[in-house]
Amino acid sequence: MSFKTFFDEPENYKNRFDFYEQGGSPLLIEKFIETIEEQKNDIEEINISWYLYNNQHLHDYLKKIAANGIIVNVISIPLEGYDHNKPKFLKNLVTGEKSDTSVTKYNLARKIYGEMYRSTSHENFNLYVFPHLYVRSARVKKFSRGSLPYSLHIKSAYIKKKKGYILLLSSSNLAVRDLVKNETMICIEDEPNYEENIKAFYKNLISNSIAIKDYKTSLNTTCNTYNKLEYKFSNSVFITAPFYDNSANILEKTLSGYIVAAKERIIVCSQHLAAFNYKFNAKHHATINKSEIRKGILGDVITMANKGIKVTCLSQTFAPETEDAAKFKEIKFRRPVNTNSFQQFYSKVKSSKNIEYYVNEHIHSKFILIDNTLIYCSYNFTPTQFIYLDNVNITQFTNMPELNYSGIHCEVGMHLVIKDQNTIKAFENNVGSIKHKKETIQVTNFGGQTHEALI
């Protein structure tokens, strides 16, 4: 029984602006493959659900072990959801050679998907697509990677052994044509209380997915309804999915329970922080009959800070309020999509004496440390993740009048609750490392000081 934690970051590589053939997290894919190699004689089945699947190195390895008798199931999004934009030249991390042509994420995925669609020789290897789209507003803008967003945002693997199991969860897409970011991956082996929920999730996910050979681009994915299952709650694993009834709404209450029980400290790290004072539109829900403004989990964090709990926030995106523009005029932050929600949150952060806030453009990890408990997440802390609407009906989009949508709004996500103290210490050290990097900008300090007072 064990917990293992792996961290990757731009400093591990000579040039942080290179795009590697091995993907956006070469170290993590190396550890992923090593984990399988070490026990491949005991492994019977590998189930992988990864938001993006365009890494040829990973694909070639999975083909090899499938040919040796291990069943491999990969579930990802449809090809239409891959980004066509910004083709880049790739560099092989081992040889140092650069590719002759530039490629997009779509180009790379199309090669793999096309191979799996046409092939008749990949015995034991199954590629599925989960085509669920999720949207809750007629005002949504067209996405660069498909008109509407796909909900499968998870990055996990469930590996079944002859005796026991291995669970992996990562913040990284392992995608080629991603730059290296600050990423993490956790491996849990044969620990009690984790496997039952994960095993059930993969069974449900595959049964609601489409084998690549049966998938047609003409499929109408704008009608996204599922037979809803009652979610089985676990204190170790939490999963949201459109086929788990009200799962995202329950997730918010579950996380809130952990946050308001904090005794000493809360550390929140995510690419995006925006789950604060957002609207829940009850007209799109079958049984909830009242719309409301939800304070969100970040509202709970603020409440606990005002009660004396020491809070540390770290994010990749940041948007100062208008009155702070002069303080940050020399700094170019990547801005969150929901700027208004973030700025409401930040105004409360500034007024608290118990919150320090750091911004680093490379943060992609997603976790919360509450006292001596780690909640390790596949999802960002934005309103989208915490809203389940089972009766969405949009007859026309403002910016895409040719489209309509009906179905369930819910992102596929997962978190693990871990109390292993070596794992806790590893994440504490990771937070300390990020705070002291030269690219990290401290925008508020304990005592309510803002950036102007810190430089």
Side-chain angles (χ1 to χ4, degrees):
M1 296 187 290
S2 66
F3 295 87
K4 294 180 182 178
T5 304
F6 308 102
F7 300 92
D8 205 356
E9 59 182 23
E11 286 82 351
N12 288 338
Y13 308 92
K14 288 183 179 180
N15 188 347
R16 68 182 57 191
F17 300 109
D18 280 337
F19 295 88
Y20 296 111
E21 286 183 12
Q22 288 80 0
S25 298
L27 176 63
L28 297 188
I29 199 168
E30 176 186 325
K31 297 301 181 183
F32 187 99
I33 291 173
E34 280 181 7
T35 299
I36 298 172
E37 274 291 296
E38 287 170 357
Q39 301 192 58
K40 64 182 179 181
N41 293 332
D42 295 323
I43 292 173
E44 295 181 334
E45 182 176 301
I46 298 173
N47 298 279
I48 297 174
S49 173
W50 231 264
Y51 169 51
L52 299 177
Y53 185 68
N54 73 346
N55 192 310
Q56 191 69 46
H57 285 260
L58 176 60
H59 182 60
D60 289 342
Y61 175 74
L62 294 175
K63 285 193 296 184
K64 182 176 74 172
I65 60 173
N68 289 332
I70 297 174
I71 296 171
V72 176
N73 299 311
V74 175
I75 310 100
S76 191
I77 64 171
L79 188 58
E80 294 77 22
Y82 287 82
D83 196 342
H84 288 261
N85 298 325
K86 300 178 181 178
K88 300 291 183 180
F89 292 94
L90 304 179
K91 184 176 181 179
N92 187 299
L93 188 61
V94 177
T95 66
E97 296 180 356
K98 283 206 169 186
S99 60
D100 295 329
T101 57
S102 59
V103 292
T104 64
K105 291 179 184 178
Y106 175 85
N107 299 146
L108 296 158
R110 188 173 185 270
K111 180 181 177 182
I112 293 173
Y113 280 49
E115 174 197 333
M116 295 299 291
Y117 179 80
R118 293 186 298 269
S119 176
T120 58
S121 61
H122 289 329
E123 187 177 359
N124 299 323
F125 195 160
N126 306 296
L127 176 61
Y128 300 90
V129 294
F130 184 68
H132 177 252
L133 297 163
Y134 69 130
V135 63
R136 59 190 172 95
S137 171
R139 296 187 299 275
V140 68
K141 295 181 180 179
K142 182 179 175 65
F143 277 58
S144 62
R145 48 193 185 278
S147 297
L148 298 175
Y150 288 97
S151 67
L152 190 74
H153 195 241
I154 203 167
K155 285 81 72 173
S156 79
Y158 166 58
I159 300 172
K160 181 181 177 182
K161 300 188 294 182
K162 294 173 184 176
K163 292 184 179 180
Y165 77 97
I166 301 170
L167 165 63
L168 292 118
L169 187 65
S170 181
S171 64
S172 174
N173 295 314
L174 302 181
V176 183
R177 234 289 285 127
D178 270 348
L179 288 172
V180 179
K181 302 289 186 185
N182 284 90
E183 304 275 19
T184 49
M185 184 171 71
I186 282 183
C187 174
I188 300 176
E189 184 173 354
D190 299 337
E191 289 285 332
N193 305 319
Y194 290 94
E195 185 181 17
E196 183 180 354
N197 286 69
I198 300 296
K199 184 177 180 179
F201 165 68
Y202 272 96
K203 178 182 177 182
N204 299 147
L205 181 62
I206 290 174
S207 69
N208 283 290
S209 298
I210 302 170
I212 189 65
K213 292 183 182 296
D214 298 327
Y215 184 78
K216 309 295 182 185
T217 56
S218 58
L219 177 70
N220 180 15
T221 57
T222 57
C223 183
N224 291 258
T225 56
Y226 293 87
N227 292 324
K228 290 181 288 186
L229 306 171
E230 184 177 351
Y231 179 74
K232 187 174 182 181
F233 179 77
S234 166
N235 290 325
S236 300
V237 181
F238 199 103
I239 299 167
T240 61
F243 43 78
Y244 289 147
D245 194 20
N246 267 327
S247 52
N249 297 335
I250 299 170
L251 170 63
E252 184 183 59
K253 294 177 182 178
T254 301
L255 274 186
S256 175
Y258 284 107
I259 291 167
V260 300
K263 303 298 182 185
E264 296 181 0
R265 58 111 185 246
I266 299 171
I267 300 173
V268 183
C269 179
S270 181
Q271 182 183 15
H272 306 300
L273 297 180
F276 180 74
N277 281 6
Y278 56 87
K279 189 173 182 179
F280 180 88
N281 192 343
K283 79 174 185 178
H284 290 318
H285 198 283
T287 58
I288 298 175
N289 56 22
K290 185 179 179 181
S291 297
E292 60 183 357
I293 299 294
R294 293 181 169 178
K295 68 176 182 178
I297 65 161
L298 296 181
D300 292 322
V301 169
I302 294 290
T303 297
M304 297 308 291
N306 291 338
K307 289 182 177 181
I309 302 298
K310 294 295 184 184
V311 172
T312 298
C313 295
L314 306 98
S315 70
Q316 178 192 127
T317 57
F318 180 78
E321 297 173 287
T322 304
E323 59 267 30
D324 287 344
K327 300 173 187 176
F328 299 101
K329 64 180 180 181
E330 303 299 326
I331 304 171
K332 293 183 179 180
F333 296 105
R334 182 184 173 189
R335 296 171 68 85
V337 174
N338 193 335
T339 302
N340 181 60
S341 184
F342 176 84
Q343 289 179 337
Q344 290 182 55
F345 168 62
Y346 179 60
S347 70
K348 299 295 184 181
V349 168
K350 288 194 304 178
S351 64
S352 174
K353 296 181 179 180
N354 292 313
I355 302 179
E356 58 176 1
Y357 197 133
Y358 299 84
V359 181
N360 184 304
E361 63 179 334
H362 304 303
I363 288 174
H364 199 252
S365 294
K366 310 155 198 341
F367 59 86
I368 305 176
L369 274 168
I370 303 172
D371 298 332
N372 290 313
T373 298
L374 170 68
I375 302 175
Y376 184 70
C377 311
S378 71
Y379 52 82
N380 287 301
F381 306 127
T382 64
T384 296
Q385 180 57 46
F386 303 103
I387 294 178
Y388 183 99
L389 299 168
D390 61 346
N391 196 29
V392 180
N393 185 17
I394 300 171
T395 57
Q396 189 177 65
F397 290 91
T398 304
N399 300 298
M400 297 171 284
E402 73 282 6
L403 293 183
N404 59 73
Y405 176 93
S406 61
I408 298 171
H409 174 282
C410 183
E411 186 171 290
V412 181
M414 179 187 295
H415 76 231
L416 307 175
V417 180
I418 298 171
K419 296 181 180 292
D420 175 72
Q421 291 309 298
N422 289 331
T423 304
I424 302 297
K425 189 63 179 177
F427 276 85
E428 288 175 342
N429 292 339
N430 182 245
V431 169
S433 174
I434 293 173
K435 286 165 62 173
H436 291 96
K437 291 184 183 299
K438 63 180 181 180
E439 301 88 1
T440 299
I441 301 159
Q442 187 174 1
V443 294
T444 63
N445 194 4
F446 291 132
Q449 292 176 292
T450 58
H451 173 75
E452 189 174 47
L454 298 171
I455 58 176

